[in-house]
Amino acid sequence: MLERSPTRLSWADCEQKIRKLHRAALDDVTEDESRRLCHLELSASRHAGKSPRHVLEQAKAVLRS
């Protein structure tokens, strides 16, 4: 059986996914968490950070906290 390789995540996809996560959790996040998600979304739009996947994982961690 062939193993599936992880799908490559583009910066644009990362930005969209963070925006979608942020909108979905808007009523459940604090102002600080919301600010952090906005910062991560901007990071993705500027291609800043280690990788798109790393930035997305940071956003998910904000929501888990």
Side-chain angles (χ1 to χ4, degrees), residues 16-25 56 59-60 63:
Q16 289 174 346
K17 286 178 184 285
I18 293 172
R19 187 177 302 124
K20 190 177 192 178
L21 286 171
H22 191 186
R23 276 195 215 124
L56 181 59
K60 288 178 181 178
L63 294 174

Side-chain angles (χ1 to χ4, degrees), residues 6-8 10 13-14 16 18 22-25 29-31 35-36 39 45-46 51 53-54 59 61 63:
T7 305
R8 189 165 176 88
S10 72
D13 291 340
C14 176
Q16 289 174 346
I18 293 172
H22 191 186
R23 276 195 215 124
V29 293
T30 66
E31 188 176 332
R35 199 174 300 125
R36 179 72 178 135
H39 174 76
S45 73
R46 295 179 184 148
S51 71
R53 188 152 314 277
H54 179 74
L63 294 174

Side-chain angles (χ1 to χ4, degrees), residues 20-47:
K20 190 177 192 178
L21 286 171
H22 191 186
R23 276 195 215 124
L26 207 49
D27 295 331
D28 301 326
V29 293
T30 66
E31 188 176 332
D32 288 340
E33 291 168 334
S34 182
R35 199 174 300 125
R36 179 72 178 135
L37 289 168
C38 286
H39 174 76
L40 290 168
E41 188 180 327
L42 283 173
S43 292
S45 73
R46 295 179 184 148
H47 301 196

